[in-house]
Amino acid sequence: MKILFLLIFASLTSVLIAQNGTLNGKITEASKTDGLPGVSVVVNETSGTSTDINGYYSISLAPGQYKLAYKFLGFTTENKNITIKSGEITNINISLYEESSLLNELVVSAGKFEQKLSDVTVSIQTLKPSMIENTNTTSIDQAIQKLPGITIMDGQASIRGGSGFNYGAGSRVLLLIDDLPMLSGAASDVKWNFAPVENIEQVEVIKGASSALYGSSALNGIINIRTAYPGEHPQTKLIFTNGIYMNPLRSAIIWWGKTQPSFSSTQFSHSRKIGNFDLVFGGNVLTDNGYRLNNTDQIFRFNINTRYRDKKIEGLSYGINANFMNNRGQEFILWKDGDSGVYRPAASFTQQFDNFRMNLDPYIVYHSKKDSRHSFKTRFYQTANKNNTEQASKDNLYFAEYQYQKTFSNELTFTSGITGNYCETTSEIFGNTQHFSTSGGIFAQADKKINLLSLSLGARWETFRLDDDKENSKPVFRTGLSYMLAENSSLRASFGQGFRYPSIAEKYTFTQVGSLKIFPNDTLRPENGWSSEIGFKQGFKISNWNGYVDIAGFWTQYHDMIEFTFGQHYPDSIAGNPSLIDYFNYTGFKAYNISNAQINGFELNIVGKGKLFGLPATLMGGYTYTNPIDLDVNRDSLKSTNDNILKYRFYHSLKFDFEVTYKRFIFGLGMNFNSNIINVDKAFEDTLRLPNGQPLIQDGVPVMILPGLKEYREKHNKGDVVFDLRIALQATEKSKVSLIVKNILNREYMLRPGDVQAPRNIAVQYSLRF
């Protein structure tokens, strides 16, 4: 009887299986052959499947008629009516079109998963690889500065006035490459020329405190550079650039005679799929003779990305990414004087350097069939700086992050993770003593959509220790919401806390650059703060144009801000009775927790694409107003004016970039305007003085850190407007020739004291893809 039952059951099962049909196919993006992973194939609005990492799908269905919907975030939904026949295979390949509205652009940095721009609860802006390439970008900061509200002053990034000039030590803006921090170990600063500009998929910038997700140094925001993986077909890209610096308007500052300083670069990249193995590699070779005397630069950089999609375990991938750079040249820190010597270095400072940087990033990622993701990403980042001024250093940084993410059917995404960081460093400017720092954190964030409302809530706890100091722990929180008022209108509000631990360089640097001395301070505490924002985003479609306008009001508070302060920094042993020699030996800059600040303002951005008089065109621009108030009014003696405005900030910033295409020609115009900087360090505009207040005289001349700065700022500190122009000819489908002119009006302008920017420069660029 038991055997008979099994035979009947097996027979019925085989009949049922035979009656089913199979639906399969591949989903790609329109005009491309690359498969789209993660596309939802919904059957009769109740069940279905999703595409694998290569865009393929397959599902068994009983015979009958079905209504199919192919859905993917950022793309239009495709609907199909089909009939499944018993035992037959039905193949349907679908091409999905990207939604035309720029509000549907996808970003990942706000919640560490893909979201539409209209759904995020914070201010976020993106930069595309076309903008990076078209503007002759050899260092990524050159392109990022084109985004409204962002200033990079001598390598120091500031978002909406959150940072000033910090002497290359510490950063309140966290740079990430593929979601992993890319700050150097000891200085915790950004090396912009290390980023692989030849292989970028998208740059995303979050404006405002982001420490709940990203930890220390995200106090003012983050910049996340996402690199690209290969498509279905191999691709090779070559970009050759040659250019010269033109003569400035003031002939007195020309030092190069009749031979113009030149620069050149060669960028290359190649990407391909080899079965289940993805490979991308590229690099850049750059030589820059410099528009400033004794300020040359030579760079060789090579990067590689790999990914293997496991054949046996569906959803499992792993690989290693790497980047290597050697940078040689001569450094320019202080000018000779503010008259004819702005492009000449101070005689007391000439530095030759030979620096090496590398990062190795092994990782493993697993996407389960139940809409969850596990990832374990690591980074080893080594920096080795050699020079002839006894300021050499070497540090090794180790970082690891485990992340778990689960997407539920009710449009809830939960993200959590744990991070660890360890740095060891030795430097001549740290007294040739080895220092180390460690940190660890745990974070969680929930993002939920309820009809037209998007909600976000996150928290992080992190602990930090430097050498044998007591551990510092800090919990931070963030929350935000976005509500769709209409189809293309959204209102958002957010609040986030942030913090930054002092870097090893800020605590232990003891060095001298010309007459500028920097002293250590091992009692520095973390700085912290919060930022809030309310914003409105309105999409538009006017004639052949579509885009959006975004307006945001923001308010930021900082506490225990770390700033370098000029004065006499005596050790305790002589503080009560310093001699005249002690006075000079211990006069200079030292980092202190002395500033509480409030920054409020508003920002207006516009992004659009369409046609102008029938010609394809794009537009990106924005205006930012900041009111950066120093709440410690008793420190006015440290600033160049009595205004309670934070140092190295300005009130107004206006930027735009416009591009139009006519047949095979492409024309682009960019503008960057900053109003005048109100305050700098008073010590930069004054002479060094004796204890009785009299100027220090050497060889009959008053001794100054930056000679002539006060007079130079009185003449030139009126605000700066700089225009860039580009013209390109699409010679063939695969090649393009471009002429790029930067600072076309040849304006002489300065950001940080003693750092006058480049005069008009012209470059010819040839790019080839095959």
Side-chain angles (χ1 to χ4, degrees):
M1 187 67 180
K2 182 176 181 181
I3 295 175
L4 179 61
F5 174 78
L6 291 174
L7 290 174
I8 294 173
F9 178 78
S11 178
L12 290 173
T13 301
S14 64
V15 171
L16 290 173
I17 292 175
Q19 289 178 342
N20 280 358
T22 300
L23 170 67
N24 61 23
K26 182 179 181 181
I27 302 177
T28 61
E29 181 179 351
S31 75
K32 297 182 180 180
T33 58
D34 298 352
L36 285 173
V39 178
S40 297
V41 183
V42 183
V43 180
N44 289 341
E45 299 182 352
T46 57
S47 61
T49 185
S50 59
T51 57
D52 63 17
I53 196 168
N54 295 311
Y56 293 99
Y57 71 96
S58 180
I59 186 171
S60 178
L61 297 171
Q65 293 184 342
Y66 294 92
K67 181 180 179 181
L68 304 177
Y70 297 85
K71 299 181 178 181
F72 192 54
L73 190 64
F75 289 77
T76 56
T77 297
E78 186 76 17
N79 296 303
K80 290 283 185 181
N81 294 314
I82 65 167
T83 299
I84 296 294
K85 296 182 179 181
S86 176
E88 292 187 2
I89 297 176
T90 302
N91 183 269
I92 296 181
N93 298 323
I94 295 292
S95 292
L96 296 183
Y97 289 85
E98 191 173 2
E99 291 185 331
S100 60
S101 173
L102 292 175
L103 290 173
N104 294 310
E105 182 179 3
L106 298 181
V107 293
V108 301
S109 301
K112 296 199 173 187
F113 68 98
E114 286 191 338
Q115 296 174 276
K116 288 183 180 181
L117 191 61
S118 57
D119 289 338
V120 298
T121 63
V122 294
S123 279
I124 184 168
Q125 283 189 280
T126 62
L127 192 65
K128 299 298 183 182
S130 57
M131 173 67 76
I132 297 171
E133 178 181 326
N134 292 346
T135 55
N136 186 30
T137 298
T138 56
S139 181
I140 193 59
D141 56 316
Q142 300 166 0
I144 290 174
Q145 290 209 85
K146 295 182 178 297
L147 294 174
I150 301 174
T151 303
I152 300 178
M153 185 181 296
D154 200 21
Q156 189 84 26
S158 174
I159 297 177
R160 294 173 173 172
S163 298
F165 171 55
N166 208 31
Y167 305 90
S171 176
R172 296 188 183 107
V173 176
L174 178 61
L175 176 70
L176 302 111
I177 297 182
D178 292 326
D179 300 325
L180 297 178
M182 189 58 85
L183 299 183
S184 63
S188 290
D189 66 340
V190 177
K191 301 303 179 187
W192 300 102
N193 56 7
F194 188 50
V197 295
E198 58 279 349
N199 180 36
I200 292 180
E201 179 179 298
Q202 183 165 277
V203 179
E204 300 176 0
V205 179
I206 293 181
K207 300 178 179 182
S210 305
S211 292
L213 265 185
Y214 295 101
S216 178
S217 294
L219 179 62
N220 187 211
I222 69 159
I223 298 171
N224 188 11
I225 299 173
R226 297 166 54 194
T227 60
Y229 278 98
E232 285 292 323
H233 301 289
Q235 185 180 69
T236 300
K237 178 176 67 176
L238 296 170
I239 301 176
F240 304 96
T241 304
N242 281 280
I244 59 173
Y245 296 102
M246 305 297 288
N247 290 340
L249 294 179
R250 284 202 298 143
S251 59
I253 64 178
I254 300 173
W255 56 267
W256 50 77
K258 296 182 180 180
T259 303
Q260 309 297 140
S262 62
F263 54 89
S264 64
S265 71
T266 299
Q267 296 181 29
F268 64 94
S269 67
H270 178 76
S271 64
R272 68 186 306 121
K273 288 185 176 181
I274 309 171
N276 279 37
F277 181 67
D278 297 339
L279 173 66
V280 181
F281 63 86
N284 183 24
V285 179
L286 177 144
T287 299
D288 190 341
N289 294 325
Y291 60 92
R292 293 178 289 203
L293 181 63
N294 297 334
N295 186 204
T296 60
D297 210 7
Q298 294 180 329
I299 293 176
F300 173 78
R301 187 183 64 248
F302 177 80
N303 62 85
I304 183 170
N305 283 11
T306 66
R307 178 175 64 183
Y308 183 75
R309 291 163 280 119
D310 198 279
K311 293 181 179 180
K312 297 181 179 180
I313 304 176
E314 184 179 351
L316 178 65
S317 62
Y318 39 84
I320 183 169
N321 300 337
N323 196 8
F324 307 87
M325 184 180 76
N326 181 249
N327 185 196
R328 297 179 180 181
Q330 295 174 289
E331 190 68 86
F332 182 99
I333 299 294
L334 305 176
W335 67 18
K336 179 181 178 182
D337 58 60
D339 188 14
S340 61
V342 296
Y343 285 157
R344 294 174 172 86
S348 57
F349 184 79
T350 300
Q351 185 189 79
Q352 297 177 349
F353 62 86
D354 186 350
N355 301 335
F356 173 78
R357 299 181 186 278
M358 65 169 288
N359 68 274
L360 300 173
D361 304 345
Y363 67 92
I364 182 169
V365 179
Y366 175 65
H367 293 264
S368 77
K369 296 181 180 179
K370 296 182 179 180
D371 295 321
S372 62
R373 184 189 71 195
H374 301 265
S375 69
F376 182 65
K377 297 181 178 181
T378 63
R379 170 164 288 165
F380 169 66
Y381 182 19
Q382 183 181 84
T383 302
N385 301 320
K386 299 178 182 178
N387 53 57
N388 64 337
T389 55
E390 298 183 349
Q391 296 177 329
S393 64
K394 181 178 180 180
D395 57 69
N396 296 321
L397 185 145
Y398 306 85
F399 178 86
E401 177 187 89
Y402 165 74
Q403 184 188 129
Y404 170 76
Q405 190 171 89
K406 172 71 175 177
T407 301
F408 297 89
S409 58
N410 61 352
E411 296 192 271
L412 169 66
T413 300
F414 175 75
T415 306
S416 63
I418 184 170
T419 65
N421 187 90
Y422 174 78
C423 172
E424 56 186 14
T425 181
T426 302
S427 173
E428 292 177 331
I429 62 175
F430 305 150
N432 282 324
T433 301
Q434 187 176 56
H435 297 278
F436 70 89
S437 64
T438 59
S439 67
I442 183 170
F443 64 90
Q445 179 164 306
D447 293 271
K448 167 71 174 172
K449 286 200 69 174
I450 307 172
N451 297 322
L452 301 177
L453 180 66
S454 297
L455 298 171
S456 181
L457 180 66
R460 184 187 191 95
W461 178 86
E462 186 158 322
T463 183
F464 172 86
R465 183 178 180 182
L466 202 159
D467 290 345
D468 295 325
D469 294 346
K470 183 180 178 181
E471 289 186 355
N472 286 283
S473 298
K474 185 72 177 179
V476 290
F477 303 90
R478 72 162 305 272
T479 185
L481 61 87
S482 176
Y483 184 76
M484 295 297 297
L485 300 171
E487 182 179 359
N488 293 310
S489 303
S490 64
L491 181 69
R492 69 180 183 276
S494 63
F495 172 85
Q497 295 176 305
F499 63 92
R500 184 179 76 88
Y501 295 116
S503 66
I504 293 174
E506 287 170 304
K507 295 192 73 169
Y508 297 113
T509 295
F510 183 39
T511 189
Q512 182 170 350
V513 179
S515 55
L516 188 155
K517 296 180 181 179
I518 299 178
F519 298 93
N521 183 358
D522 59 4
T523 64
L524 280 180
R525 304 182 306 277
E527 54 183 8
N528 60 87
W530 56 264
S531 63
S532 61
E533 176 190 76
I534 183 168
F536 174 72
K537 195 183 299 287
Q538 176 63 57
F540 63 82
K541 185 172 180 60
I542 304 173
S543 184
N544 293 318
W545 279 83
N546 81 85
Y548 65 85
V549 175
D550 186 288
I551 185 169
F554 53 88
W555 190 290
T556 301
Q557 295 274 158
Y558 288 143
H559 307 286
D560 286 334
M561 284 182 72
I562 298 174
E563 289 196 359
F564 282 86
T565 302
F566 185 81
Q568 286 70 51
H569 309 288
Y570 303 118
D572 294 337
S573 59
I574 62 172
N577 187 28
S579 66
L580 185 60
I581 294 178
D582 292 331
Y583 178 85
F584 293 118
N585 287 341
Y586 294 100
T587 296
F589 288 87
K590 185 176 181 178
Y592 286 99
N593 295 97
I594 58 173
S595 182
N596 296 300
Q598 170 186 299
I599 304 171
N600 50 45
F602 67 90
E603 188 170 88
L604 174 66
N605 294 318
I606 182 170
V607 177
K609 64 179 181 180
K611 291 187 176 180
L612 180 69
F613 303 113
L615 304 178
T618 62
L619 171 67
M620 177 184 70
Y623 166 74
T624 307
Y625 169 78
T626 58
N627 185 29
I629 301 173
D630 187 343
L631 298 178
D632 297 317
V633 294
N634 60 324
R635 296 192 309 110
D636 285 343
S637 60
L638 303 175
K639 300 191 290 288
S640 55
T641 76
N642 291 326
D643 292 337
N644 64 332
I645 301 299
L646 292 168
K647 294 180 294 185
Y648 307 107
R649 271 77 161 189
F650 36 75
Y651 287 118
H652 307 282
S653 174
L654 177 64
K655 302 181 181 182
F656 78 79
D657 188 273
F658 178 75
E659 185 175 277
V660 63
T661 301
Y662 173 70
K663 295 183 178 181
R664 291 191 297 163
F665 290 92
I666 303 170
F667 302 88
L669 178 67
M671 188 206 73
N672 188 348
F673 165 77
N674 296 324
S675 60
N676 63 304
I677 292 176
I678 307 297
N679 280 320
V680 300
D681 283 287
K682 186 176 182 179
F684 286 148
E685 292 192 345
D686 199 3
T687 62
L688 295 181
R689 295 183 177 273
L690 299 169
N692 61 7
Q694 294 299 313
L696 173 63
I697 305 296
Q698 284 187 354
D699 300 326
V701 179
V703 177
M704 302 185 71
I705 297 174
L706 284 170
L709 179 66
K710 183 178 178 63
E711 293 76 14
Y712 188 90
R713 293 188 74 239
E714 288 175 349
K715 183 177 181 180
H716 294 276
N717 189 34
K718 312 297 183 184
D720 301 305
V721 59
V722 179
F723 286 93
D724 298 335
L725 176 70
R726 58 187 184 272
I727 303 173
L729 170 64
Q730 193 73 49
T732 68
E733 182 181 353
K734 297 181 179 180
S735 64
K736 183 172 64 176
V737 180
S738 305
L739 178 70
I740 300 115
V741 185
K742 296 185 178 181
N743 192 7
I744 190 171
L745 299 181
N746 209 9
R747 184 168 180 87
E748 183 180 336
Y749 68 104
M750 176 176 66
L751 292 178
R752 68 102 167 148
D755 186 22
V756 176
Q757 298 298 293
R760 180 191 299 129
N761 54 95
I762 300 176
V764 177
Q765 182 184 90
Y766 175 71
S767 59
L768 176 66
R769 299 174 186 270
F770 55 91

